[in-house]
Amino acid sequence: MQLRHSSTLMQPSEGSTPWKARVTAICFAPDNSRLAVVTTDRIVSIYDSNGERVDKFSTKPNDKGPKNYLVRAMNFCPDPTQPKLAIAQSDNIVFVYKWTGSPKSIWEGKKSICNKFAGSSPVTSLVWPTNHPFEVVYGLAEGKVKIGQLRSNKPQTLYNAESYCVALASNPNGTGIVSAHLDGSIFRYNFPDSNLPGPAYSKICTHTSVPYALSWGRSICAAGNDQCVTFYDREGGRERTFDYTGELPKGTPECKEFTVASFNNTGDSVAVGNFDCYYTFSYNAKADSWDENEVKVVENMYSVTAMSWKDNGSSLAVGTLCGLLDLYDACIRRYTYKKIFELTYVSPSQVLIRKKSEKHSNMIKSKFGQEITKVNIYNEPETRVDRYVVAHTDDSLILSDLDTGKSSEIQWHGNGESEKYFFDTLNACLVSYAGELSIVEYGSDEVLASVRTEHTSSFLLSVRINERPPRQGEDNPDTPRVDEEEGANKKIAYLLDTQTVCVKNMHTQASTTINHDCKIDFLELNARGNLLLFRDKRRHLHLYDVDSQTRTALLNYCSYVQWVPGSDVVVAQNRNNMCVWYNIHAPDQVMVREIKGDIDGIERANGKTEVLVDETINVSSYELVEELIDFGTAIDDRDYVKAMQILEGMEFTPQSEAMWQQLQAMCIDNWNLKMAERCSAALGDVSRARYLHKVGKLASAAREQGVDVRDHWQVKSKMLELKKDLEIAEDVLIAHNKVDEAINMYEELLLFNEALEVAERRNHPDADSKRKKFYQYLLDSKQEESAAKMKETEGEYVQAINLYLQAGMPGKAARVIGDNNITQPSNLLESVAGALEDADMNEKAGDFYERMGQRQRALESFIKGHAFRKAVELARKHFPNQVVSLEESWGDHLVSVNQLDMAINHYMEAHAQSKAIDAALKARQWSKALSLADQLDVETARPYYAELAEHYALAKQYKEAEKCYVQCDEHNKAVEMWTSAGEWENAHRLAKSYLPESEITALYMENASKMEKAQKFKEAEKLYLAVDKPDHAIAMYKRHRKFDTMIALVSKYRKELLGESHKYLAQQLEMEGNLRDAEEHYASAGEWLAAVNMYRTNDNWEEAIRVAKFHGGISASKRVAYAYALHLGGSAGAKLLGKLGLLEPAIDYAMESGAFTHAFELARDSLPKKVPEVHLKFALYLEDEERFTEAEQEFIQASKPREAIDMYVHQQSWSDALRVAEQYDPSAVTDVYAAQGKAAAEREDWARAEEMFIAASKPDQALQMYENSGQWQDAVRVAQRHLPHKLNEVNLKLQSAQAGMGTGGSKADYLSKGRSLEKNRKFGNAIDAYLMAKKDVIRNVDDLEEIWEQAVRVARTNMKDRYMQVVREVSSRLVAVRKFESAAELMREADMLDEAVSIAISGQCWEKARELAGDNRMLSGRVESAFQGHMVKAENTSGLMEMGHTGAALDVLAQRGDWDRLWETAAKERVGQAVTTKYSAMRVQQLVDDGGTKFDEAVETLLAHGAPSSPTYFDMYSQLVTGVLGRDQVQEKKSDQEKIVSDLREVLYNVALKLRSNSTDSKVDKEFENLLMATHYTHMMNVTKKHGLTNLSVRCSITLLRYAGIIPTDKVFFVAGTACKEEGDLNLAFMLLNRYVDLIEAIEEGDMSGIDNSDFSEATNVPFDTPLPTYFYLPEHDSREEIRDWVLSICMDNNIEQKLPRQGESENTVYAGLYASNKPTCIVTGYPIPSRDQLNVNNSIASKKDWNALVSKTETCPWTNEQASPQWG
């Protein structure tokens, strides 16, 4: 707990008696909006939450008189809705003050005393328990603890401790209090509603001192004047004591008496006041103990007399003896969340959440006292405003709504990571975890319901919690919809599976299941939760009534559906129609309206309901009839008066008529007769209105009699009669003995038969007369049938028969005859028979004729009446020859009435086989049809076999089908059948039996293609393989990306292509991002290195290491790991290598690779012992790089001075070597001298060498040097001086050497030796002797030349076979001693003129070379060419120019980079344009390669000195254009960008002219043309903008979108979007800048795959395949954020359409530039030009309007830059 001083509300009193201003009591209001403080002056000051004093008032004494009392304690009412303050005074009274409140605040208005509780002794303390807003507890000086009842205004004694009560405290829950007394005793009292065990009050302990400081939180804290703070449990057991009597830490004041204690609201932190400080203690939940915090010391504060915590625990108020009042902020930790919220942990279980932009804060508190470990804040799905809080503790989950302030805490044992939260429901949060969905209502600490579902989409879940109030009035009897009790309308609809919906009442736990035959993709309950809309994947829309459990189909195609908010009106879309059900209980009454787009949503506000329709270009709104919506709501709420008021204000339409009828029916059902009468009148149903009026009068009379109208017999029967419930009405009347009324009711309705039944049943005296009257009535009204029934009942059959005949019912007349066996009179029978025939009752007529014995007429009647059974039976008895024909006719009749099964047998009886088969086929009696077909001849049966084959094939009875196909010669179809069934063996067997090979192949290929199209790849594969076409199968699998199967086939049938196939698939999968599969194929192809590079490219280094290790071994994995470490860099790379155990090998590899910086980083960070070795290797590297000073330092740091010495020795840097040796390794000094001596000897500096050898104490090496060099005199001298013991040995060696050399080592010696050998004719030896003369012996080169010439002479004259060899040897020796002319002359004498010239050239003896070349043109040219090359090498341009070699001189200047002189020389020498163009290209290529600001110079060079038009330079132009146009904003400001673009455009234009002139078809390369046009339209954009033609500038910027790639993509979208924004076209600006924001995010991530192209999908001039820029056009992050903020602000603007128009709608608008067009494009703006506006000028096409607008400003042609004037003609 950290307490930091926040503010001082009251300054301490000054003067001699500051204690007279002592703060006696402090308390905070429960809503934290007020702080009350009182001092000894008895004035209560009220402060607001900002620390401003807003009120003060003086307390009142108990009795009138002087104010000599003190306020001992003070507390606000714990109920935040009751602005009350209780004040305990020492004058034996407790006052409770109440504020009247105002609309602004409950704490404003007048104050008055609402309660007072007088005592018998001074009140010493007071507490107001949390859960008891109407009960105040206070303690008295006499030891009593009382409770004041605010409702009754009476006090009551809780207990008497019989000792002065010094303090009172309540626990955080308000279920109990403790009191401390002067004798040290502490009592505890439990309120009756606490349900705690034990007695109501008891003494729990005795403290060691008077416990003036007392408070109750998690424990009871007590302290007094013994400098000890003790914590007790609720039973008085001591938990821990902190003793401060000993020595305290430095800086802590001496502990004196503890005066006051106060727990925070959670009870886990307590502050205890002392002198000049206060102590704080916190509860440690893990250790289950109290810990001491830092003592808060405040100098000169004096004693703390009062303390109070804010209700949320965020502040502690401290009052002192001198009247000081300080506020301290309390927190454990504080941090910012999402840069929006400030989260302050005021205790482990309590967090304050405050928006930085607001002062108000919300408190999140664990009601279980658990530590809050994590807090997340989620936004509302619709508004995207952060609103919902989810906090985790170890055992619970806290959910809160910041707007309403409601929070819930439920027991929870999730892991805190796998939960998903859904905030679409207004009053609840849905938590999904482990397949279970829990619904938690805000404000409730229990899970409302839990359901098992995997479908948690907002479209597949619907939760309704008390969104509609209960209905007013009674419900309809016929519609069993039952209202929930208030606050219990809580329902959820969810999916059990994809085809089953469950609607669950979360209050009663009852549920309803709805099964559907198709996958459901949308469902939603209405606000009351009694109606469910759901839609399936077929787009069928259904309505389900949960109460009646009935389902209704609303639409057979629905793309959108939604309940209108706050009503039961449904809006749906059926293709281009909007369907509205204002009365959803009448689904057939739907209002249909045609719309042009897609419904986007429904808005209901300000008394209007509008359906928003997205019509692509804009969003239209369709207003619904608000009256109809309100009517449906009123009906559903049973508010019939409101419903009628709504209807009365509407016109009478079919829609309103149905609504009147609905209201009428509901009013009648609910006995609202007056309203039902009004409805009837409105409907024009006068009779019903009059009837209801009469019934209403009866009802009024009944009411006057005090009878309930629903129980009044007459009213009730009339209403039942109205509802046509006559039987029930009769029962009501009979029950009240109203027989006449019942009879009259039936008679009024002309139901005489029912009236007669009532009369007879009730033995009415007029029953007979009524019968006669009724009979006569029937005759008069032509109701002969009813009259006949009466006569039949009375037994008068003849009369009844005649009446039936009169009524045209001969059948009933015949029935009477048959039932009563009447045979006479015969004429009557004839009349009946004739009447039956006339009435087409032939069967009955036949029976009648048969009874009369007229068999032929009977047979004819039976046949005519299709009574074939009776006809056949009659024929068998009396007409046997007609039986067969009757059977066939019977079959025909049965077929005509579709009784095919029965017809088959009759046809067979009639021997009609064909008809029997037809009937069997139609009846699907296939077996019977087959057996019948087998009995026919082949030709006749063929069509039947074909039909049977088709059936058996469909029925998968393949053998029977094959048999039938074969019988009808349809072999191909049989093969296809077996193939489709996957029966390849049977198909092959049949095909081989009946088809040729070619047909088999064609058939199989065709079927395989069909199988492939049907996605039956295995079947297709078998077909391909069956005809030996594996390549087709492989290609099929490749097309359909079945790579595993494809590889299996390749390995089996095309092994030679297996590696290439694997490689191809790997590359394909890599491009698609399927790296794991790509790796497998790379490995299978033996290209594991490619797999490693793939993972490295995708920054997946761990996989790269794994692959390298698996396939390349440890060494390969080390290389990859090292590369990974380099990629990570620094300590991260070192940690990686250490983790992989590759640190030391990585260091070695880094050293081998020359990456010593990285090697040092790795060694120093992770392997210090390796540092010296790195220094050594680095030193060796520096030595190789000839950086010797640095190398020396590294050798020294590696503790290798000897190597440094050796390095300097090797470089013969003797002073450095000697310095290092003397400083770091003195023993190496002699070695340095020795090495220096050897070097001097190699230089033949014999004296110096001798000196060094002697200094190194190595005279033997000096002796050896002189011996080896043949300086025997010096050797003898050294031996005599330093090595006398070797003198004899040296003399012997001297004599031997002189003998071998003749007379010595001089010229004379060699000549003497050679001549001697010549005389002896030893010419070969003589030549060798002459050649023994070496330049290192005879220093005079002229002497050497003379001696060697003797060798040549001897060879030329005496040994010609060695002549050429000797000449070459001597020439080479002469060249070695730089006697080039002599060597060349010697070669010429030997007729080797080419070699002679070469020697002269190598010696730069140019005159000699020219002499030797003579007239030989080839040799002369060679000499001159060499001389020119020499001059070039020497960079002697003046000489070259004098020689006329201007090109060579220019080459020299170009190579030297002296471009100014080159241009000057070229101009001076007037070289051709082609030459300057060549050098211009060379210079520009150099500048382009340098990049940056050099692009400006490159453009100026091309403009000044010419631009090449060869296609080989197109890459250079591409680099130049992309470099200039690709500059970022900062680079553009540093250079004159507009001028450079203008000049570059001029250069490219001139090149294009050259290309067209050189081309046969006057066309320019497309790529170059794009470069030119990108530059041209950039120039046009600058020019038009400069001259104020902003509309043209905007169009040019949009045209540049098509050149994205040449110009960075983010730049073109930014420039175009900014231009549109400045022009005021906010929609297009938003679209472009929104794309720009997507691009900069992609640049930040280095990946374009996440960019959504749908907004520009139809904009054909906007390319999507452009490369992602590597840098931002706007380098400044703030500039990019400014654009992002603007885009986000426009997103929220509903006036901006935020989409592009279609191409057809964009013509002649600024949007036209986004779409490709066949029309010519304008040279000014790049936009398509209508034919009427085209202007052909200067080999270009322009819009006349745009061209004239620009030319009138610039007076130059925008294409040729020539002078021009507007073309108005």
Side-chain angles (χ1 to χ4, degrees), residues 821-1026:
N821 197 18
I822 298 173
T823 59
Q824 295 295 330
S826 59
N827 60 339
L828 181 63
L829 298 181
E830 283 289 343
S831 299
V832 172
L836 287 172
E837 284 187 335
D838 294 338
D840 288 333
M841 301 173 71
N842 296 295
E843 184 176 358
K844 287 188 176 182
D847 291 334
F848 214 71
Y849 283 128
E850 188 176 3
R851 182 180 298 174
M852 294 170 64
Q854 300 180 21
R855 297 183 181 88
Q856 184 61 43
R857 293 183 68 182
L859 181 62
E860 292 174 355
S861 294
F862 285 140
I863 295 173
K864 189 176 180 180
H866 304 300
F868 288 101
R869 185 181 303 281
K870 292 181 178 180
V872 169
E873 289 176 357
L874 183 61
R876 290 184 192 280
K877 295 178 182 178
H878 303 287
F879 311 102
N881 59 335
Q882 297 186 34
V883 171
V884 173
S885 62
L886 283 174
E887 289 284 357
E888 186 173 356
S889 298
W890 194 355
D892 293 339
H893 169 67
L894 290 173
V895 169
S896 67
V897 296
N898 207 27
Q899 296 183 14
L900 303 171
D901 293 341
M902 298 174 64
I904 298 171
N905 294 326
H906 292 290
Y907 282 133
M908 293 175 66
E909 290 289 338
H911 306 293
Q913 299 295 334
S914 296
K915 288 186 175 182
I917 296 175
D918 287 334
L921 291 173
K922 290 179 181 179
R924 306 182 69 81
Q925 296 283 346
W926 310 105
S927 300
K928 186 175 290 187
L930 182 59
S931 63
L932 291 171
D934 289 340
Q935 299 174 15
L936 300 176
D937 60 273
V938 176
E939 289 301 324
T940 305
R942 191 185 305 277
Y944 300 124
Y945 280 125
E947 187 172 351
L948 286 168
E950 294 293 335
H951 159 71
Y952 284 125
L954 290 174
K956 298 183 180 180
Q957 296 178 357
Y958 300 121
K959 291 185 178 179
E960 292 81 356
E962 178 188 339
K963 173 185 174 183
C964 293
Y965 277 130
V966 171
Q967 290 290 344
C968 64
D969 294 332
E970 294 284 357
H971 308 105
N972 287 347
K973 290 186 178 180
V975 174
E976 288 182 8
M977 174 194 71
W978 285 118
T979 303
S980 300
E983 299 285 345
W984 317 109
E985 295 177 356
N986 287 320
H988 211 54
R989 168 186 57 77
L990 191 63
K992 283 192 173 182
S993 300
Y994 295 100
L995 299 177
E997 193 67 30
S998 59
E999 289 189 21
I1000 293 174
T1001 302
L1003 180 61
Y1004 272 47
M1005 293 294 288
E1006 181 182 356
N1007 286 335
S1009 178
K1010 292 179 181 178
M1011 292 295 178
E1012 180 182 351
K1013 289 179 181 178
Q1015 303 288 311
K1016 297 180 179 180
F1017 302 118
K1018 281 293 180 185
E1019 291 81 352
E1021 175 194 340
K1022 291 179 179 180
L1023 288 171
Y1024 282 131
L1025 297 180

Side-chain angles (χ1 to χ4, degrees), residues 21 202 215 256 268 278 280 582 684 821 894 1040 1061 1070 1090 1279 1317 1360 1388 1395 1559 1592 1594 1601 1767:
S202 63
S215 190
K256 296 186 178 182
D268 49 19
Y278 58 88
T280 58
Y582 289 104
N821 197 18
L894 290 173
H1040 294 280
S1061 298
E1070 179 181 355
L1317 291 171
K1360 293 183 179 180
R1388 180 169 65 173
E1395 288 83 346
S1559 174
L1592 300 185
V1594 168
L1601 293 176
Q1767 302 285 330

Side-chain angles (χ1 to χ4, degrees), residues 285 408 443-444 457 518 627 855 910 1033 1073 1168 1213 1319 1421 1447 1453 1567 1634 1665:
S408 304
S444 173
S457 166
C518 186
E627 293 83 357
R855 297 183 181 88
S1213 180
K1319 288 180 182 179
L1453 292 173
E1567 182 179 353
N1634 186 44
D1665 55 352

Side-chain angles (χ1 to χ4, degrees), residues 1321-1529:
R1321 301 192 65 81
K1322 295 182 179 178
F1323 300 111
N1325 292 337
I1327 293 171
D1328 293 336
Y1330 288 130
L1331 293 178
M1332 283 293 291
K1334 305 289 179 62
K1335 65 178 181 177
D1336 52 354
V1337 177
I1338 298 177
R1339 303 301 180 92
N1340 191 322
V1341 294
D1342 293 334
D1343 292 344
L1344 280 173
E1345 181 181 357
E1346 184 179 349
I1347 295 170
W1348 291 337
E1349 284 179 350
Q1350 297 304 318
V1352 173
R1353 177 185 55 77
V1354 173
R1356 182 172 59 246
T1357 57
N1358 298 301
M1359 293 193 72
K1360 293 183 179 180
D1361 56 333
R1362 288 189 61 184
Y1363 176 62
M1364 299 303 293
Q1365 175 190 355
V1366 173
V1367 168
R1368 285 193 171 89
E1369 177 65 22
V1370 172
S1371 295
S1372 64
R1373 291 190 180 191
L1374 289 171
V1375 168
V1377 296
R1378 304 194 67 77
K1379 297 287 282 186
F1380 295 103
E1381 291 189 5
S1382 298
E1385 188 62 33
L1386 192 62
M1387 296 299 285
R1388 180 169 65 173
E1389 290 177 358
D1391 291 331
M1392 290 189 284
L1393 201 56
D1394 285 348
E1395 288 83 346
V1397 171
S1398 297
I1399 291 171
I1401 290 172
S1402 64
Q1404 298 181 9
C1405 302
W1406 306 109
E1407 294 302 326
K1408 184 64 176 178
R1410 290 189 182 98
E1411 177 193 344
L1412 292 171
D1415 297 331
N1416 190 319
R1417 181 178 296 177
M1418 183 180 70
L1419 292 178
S1420 297
R1422 181 176 163 195
V1423 171
E1424 293 305 321
S1425 175
F1427 180 61
Q1428 180 180 338
H1430 167 68
M1431 298 294 282
V1432 170
K1433 186 174 182 182
E1435 298 184 356
N1436 188 350
T1437 55
S1438 299
L1440 290 169
M1441 296 294 292
E1442 290 174 1
M1443 293 173 61
H1445 297 302
T1446 305
L1450 294 177
D1451 287 340
V1452 170
L1453 292 173
Q1455 292 173 7
R1456 198 162 59 196
D1458 193 352
W1459 295 99
D1460 292 339
R1461 187 177 173 192
L1462 185 148
W1463 306 128
E1464 180 183 348
T1465 302
K1468 183 177 179 181
E1469 295 297 324
R1470 299 181 179 177
V1471 300
Q1473 181 64 38
V1475 176
T1476 58
T1477 299
K1478 179 187 78 170
Y1479 291 111
S1480 174
M1482 292 171 58
R1483 177 56 177 159
V1484 169
Q1485 188 63 59
Q1486 290 180 0
L1487 293 171
V1488 167
D1489 293 340
D1490 291 343
T1493 58
K1494 299 295 182 69
F1495 289 126
D1496 295 1
E1497 185 181 347
V1499 174
E1500 297 303 327
T1501 299
L1502 290 172
L1503 191 64
H1505 303 293
S1509 59
S1510 172
T1512 56
Y1513 293 102
F1514 283 0
D1515 286 342
M1516 178 188 75
Y1517 288 127
S1518 177
Q1519 294 175 9
L1520 181 58
V1521 171
T1522 54
V1524 172
L1525 301 186
R1527 287 173 170 169
D1528 61 31
Q1529 198 175 59

Side-chain angles (χ1 to χ4, degrees), residues 218 536 1221 1315 1715:
R218 281 185 176 269
D536 57 33
R1315 287 169 184 165
Y1715 300 97

